[in-house]
Amino acid sequence: MGYADRAYIHQCTSYLSLYRVEAGIGQRCRPSIDGPIRRHTWRNLRESPMGPTQYNTIISGGRLIDPATGVDNVADIGILDGRIAAIEPSLDKQSATEVIDADNKIVTAGMIDTHGHIYQHVTGKFGLDPDMVGVRSGVTTIIDQGGPSCMTLGGFRHYLAERSHTRLYCFISAYLVGGLEGHMYPDLYGPTGVNPEHTIRVARDNLDLVRGIKAHAEIGGQSRWGLEVIKVGKRIASELDLPLYIHLGQLWPSLEEGPVPDPDELIRELVPIMSEGDMLAHPFTRHPGGFVSETGEVHPIVFEAIDRGVKVDVGHGSHFSFEVAKKVLDAGIKPFTLGADMHGYNVTAPPAGMDQGVRESNPFFGIAPFNLTVAMSELLTLGMSLHEVIATVTQNPATVLGKSAELGSLAVGRSADISMLDIQHGRFKLFDNSGVEVVTDKLIRPVMALKDGVAFKADSPLIPDPVLA
């Protein structure tokens, strides 16, 4: 079934045809007479005019939270031809082909995950199915961090960006090999493994997809070639006028011969290279070389970087530490964006055929169950407000992409990229990979996503089940 056929759900005027439409790579939200997501009745559909309706879809009665506009109220959203056509306190439900019941749900602009690993197969078991991380997890847009390179971007465009339901962008790798096999081989990431001229040329020809540059600053690489590759990455970013996104926290083992690099010195040398709009990832890492020094304090130079306009992305992954996060947040540093950093070695449902021994031996291995909404719940538990948390996955990442006029806000005329969330109340356990458990009374769960007005139920196996305390 082609994309046009799947999109036909919005033109249907009979219950039967609505019920039969299914997604090609997953199940859309099917109409249900008494289901919790869509409120359809035979009466509504029978009495709808046979000609064009005013709206294809109405999202009814949700609590709209839009940090970009300051909106926080209950309202209806009318969708026509894939775009938001109306936002009103109440819309006539008879004027729509379908009605999605959002009572007691949070409705936001489509969530944007700023740290994805979705170049499936090319990045080995590291890469995940983009729609499982994306629309079927309640997320409408993903930025792949460093998977495609100047040599593999064509495949990313053809096999992923043009075929996925999720909206995809990338921060192109500064390295020729990109994220092949999940950065398993450090010798491929040295100064001989970069070609700035080629990377600049390919990125410039694909700026509709390429929205930044990805590089790594960690002591394993520093022990081999210092910060030379970071400087090349900064040159690429400057030539393209795009942000440089820097991985912090040890990635590769240090060379056995020679002095062991000082992780605190690494960040002191790194920050002066960065400029306004560049991004530091993994501020809450449990690995050496992050925001917190070996003496347990936040590096003063981090504050200097933020004052200069450097942005902070959580880059959750298996790096996340509650202890470090509390120290950083207590120091007054809040993340600008929240990337989940999910990949085949840290999700609860790893790729089929992955050997467990190989998985556990990977430096990125993690067992703490998480996804983007679990990470949002953690930030909420650590003291950030709900509005601040939602901004990290809507308004702020749209700014990073340079797409604030298109994404990150609920506004009439924009593409109907919308996420629906449920805040569950009770006692739930949250975990990190340092063995820390935290009990929270609120857990954010994805319900569904609409991408260009097409609805997808949040049914991905990558969404972990709640763990009751």
Side-chain angles (χ1 to χ4, degrees), residues 404-460:
S404 293
E406 305 166 38
L407 306 174
S409 180
L410 296 170
V412 173
R414 293 193 178 209
S415 293
D417 282 16
I418 298 169
S419 294
M420 187 187 298
L421 306 170
D422 182 29
I423 299 184
Q424 298 183 355
H425 297 268
R427 287 177 54 81
F428 307 97
K429 288 184 179 181
L430 302 172
F431 308 86
D432 70 16
N433 283 296
S434 299
V436 174
E437 293 184 10
V438 172
V439 175
T440 183
D441 61 352
K442 297 182 183 68
L443 188 67
I444 302 174
R445 301 276 294 169
V447 176
M448 65 183 300
L450 285 85
K451 163 65 166 49
D452 290 329
V454 180
F456 297 83
K457 183 178 180 181
D459 61 358
S460 169

Side-chain angles (χ1 to χ4, degrees), residues 114 143 145 171 211-213 234 237-238 241-246 271 273-281 304-313 336-337 396-397 399-402:
T114 49
I143 304 173
Q145 284 293 344
F171 275 32
R211 305 308 302 158
I213 311 302
K234 181 57 183 175
S238 297
D241 194 25
L242 292 175
L244 176 65
Y245 185 102
I246 296 293
V271 166
I273 298 172
M274 305 184 75
S275 55
E276 182 177 0
D278 291 341
M279 305 190 73
L280 288 168
E304 177 187 324
I306 293 172
D307 288 342
R308 291 209 317 269
V310 173
K311 306 299 185 185
V312 177
D313 180 63
F336 188 68
T337 54
N396 297 350
T399 300
V400 168
L401 286 167

Side-chain angles (χ1 to χ4, degrees), residues 208-242:
D208 60 323
L209 286 181
V210 177
R211 305 308 302 158
I213 311 302
K214 172 71 181 294
H216 301 85
E218 52 81 57
I219 60 176
Q222 187 192 27
S223 71
R224 291 168 169 81
W225 46 76
L227 293 183
E228 185 61 31
V229 180
I230 297 295
K231 294 175 182 177
V232 174
K234 181 57 183 175
R235 174 190 160 194
I236 295 169
S238 297
E239 288 276 345
L240 295 165
D241 194 25
L242 292 175

Side-chain angles (χ1 to χ4, degrees), residues 63 65 106-111 390 394 410 417-421:
R63 178 186 171 190
I65 298 181
I106 303 291
V107 177
T108 74
M111 294 196 297
I390 289 176
T394 56
L410 296 170
D417 282 16
I418 298 169
S419 294
M420 187 187 298
L421 306 170

Side-chain angles (χ1 to χ4, degrees), residues 5 9-10 44 51 63 69 98 112 122 126 155 248 252 267 277 296 309 342 346 355 372 382 425 449-450 459 466:
D5 294 325
I9 187 171
H10 288 299
N44 282 353
R63 178 186 171 190
T69 60
E98 57 178 343
I112 303 170
V122 172
F126 208 71
L248 293 177
W252 300 300
I267 196 164
M342 298 167 64
N346 67 16
D355 180 83
L372 186 63
L382 286 161
H425 297 268
L450 285 85
D459 61 358

